[in-house]
Amino acid sequence: LLDLGARGPSLATETACASGASALAVARDLLLSGACDIAVAGGTEAAITPVVTTGFQRMGALSSRTGDPAAASRPFADDRDGFVISEGAAILVLERVGDARARGRRGYAQLAGTGMSSDAHHPTAPAPGGNVAEVALRAAVAEAGLRPSDIDHVNAHGTSTPKNDEMEAELIGRVLPHGPSVTAAKGVLGHSLGAAGAVEAALTVLTIHHSTVPPVANLTPQSLAFDLDCVTGAERRQDVRAAVSHSFGFGGHNVVLAFRAN
């Protein structure tokens, strides 16, 4: 705030692993309400400490592939066994489309819709089947003025944990049965917890801007456990007009961001 000279609303969101995505949703609401003209929002996390890491390990969330750490994070693979904890940060700058155009600027993509829901199910496990997460996904798509069939691409939460990936795959298959391309950045970046939603939102924006979907690391067509169009092996050139980014945090925090191409 000091460096930017920002004097508008300032707040932090806390929705576990969906916090970065929640910050972007709140920033969009502030812009639409007229409370600010430009929003700087995102997430950051530095949690690789003995206490935090031990806690995740004791609850069985971390991968046990210590002998092959580069291959430990395996989103949507049949032999996935947990995530690799990481640290990171991502910040996005948002403003209203009309204001950007008045300045002669064109953004990378439009954050066109957001959706949020809470499982009210379990402290760590997602609600089976993703029925409550579906509320967030459908809300984001509808607010963006889209139909589920319009979604070309999904940036999945993809933690590489058995329960999350199963829930998310079922959700995608049910709501988006036309088979949009799917990627999951945690295969190569690990799980940066509160930063992950913002990191993956930024990657979704870049996917739209560059018409390029990155592959899921450590996943092959043979090891894919679900009926999803996961991009594997190499990047895929694709004209993505609309995409969603999923963030599903411990405690049942579900946040979905819907992006449209400019």
Side-chain angles (χ1 to χ4, degrees):
L1 297 177
L2 293 174
D3 291 341
L4 295 173
R7 295 180 175 85
S10 174
L11 65 151
T13 60
E14 174 45 62
T15 51
C17 303
S19 296
S22 292
L24 292 167
V26 170
R28 181 176 181 272
D29 288 345
L30 290 171
L31 285 165
L32 293 177
S33 72
C36 59
D37 295 319
I38 293 178
V40 180
T44 182
E45 188 78 86
I48 300 182
T49 66
V51 170
V52 173
T53 305
T54 299
F56 280 116
Q57 192 277 330
R58 290 292 297 272
M59 73 173 69
L62 300 185
S63 172
S64 61
R65 289 176 181 269
T66 55
D68 188 12
S73 185
R74 308 171 69 80
F76 300 113
D78 54 11
D79 57 351
R80 67 196 184 282
D81 70 337
F83 66 78
V84 174
I85 193 170
S86 66
E87 298 179 332
I91 301 295
L92 290 81
V93 179
L94 292 80
E95 65 178 322
R96 290 181 289 270
V97 173
D99 292 346
R101 289 175 178 169
R103 297 191 302 108
R105 301 298 297 272
R106 178 173 177 169
Y108 286 90
Q110 296 180 27
L111 176 51
T114 66
M116 292 182 272
S117 64
S118 299
D119 284 349
H121 170 71
H122 188 272
T124 57
N131 292 323
V132 186
E134 180 177 339
V135 173
L137 174 54
R138 290 192 181 276
V141 171
E143 189 177 40
L146 300 167
R147 297 167 299 177
S149 58
D150 294 324
I151 301 302
D152 301 314
H153 171 66
V154 177
N155 190 300
H157 189 57
T159 57
S160 184
T161 55
K163 290 184 178 180
N164 175 86
D165 287 10
E166 181 179 10
M167 178 279 290
E168 190 169 15
E170 188 171 341
L171 170 67
I172 294 170
R174 182 172 64 251
V175 182
L176 308 172
H178 57 286
S181 63
V182 177
T183 194
K186 293 181 181 70
V188 68
L189 298 179
H191 193 350
S192 55
L193 308 177
V199 170
E200 289 155 17
L203 293 175
T204 306
V205 168
L206 291 174
T207 288
I208 293 172
H209 182 68
H210 294 292
S211 300
T212 303
V213 180
V216 182
N218 302 317
L219 181 67
T220 66
Q222 293 74 30
S223 66
L224 178 59
F226 308 100
D227 185 18
L228 299 174
D229 183 19
C230 288
V231 177
T232 63
E235 65 186 30
R236 179 188 298 178
R237 296 289 297 173
Q238 180 184 355
D239 180 22
V240 177
R241 306 303 301 169
V244 290
S245 180
H246 293 170
S247 293
F248 303 131
F250 277 174
H253 299 287
N254 307 308
V255 181
V256 177
L257 307 177
F259 294 92
R260 300 182 66 156
N262 283 318

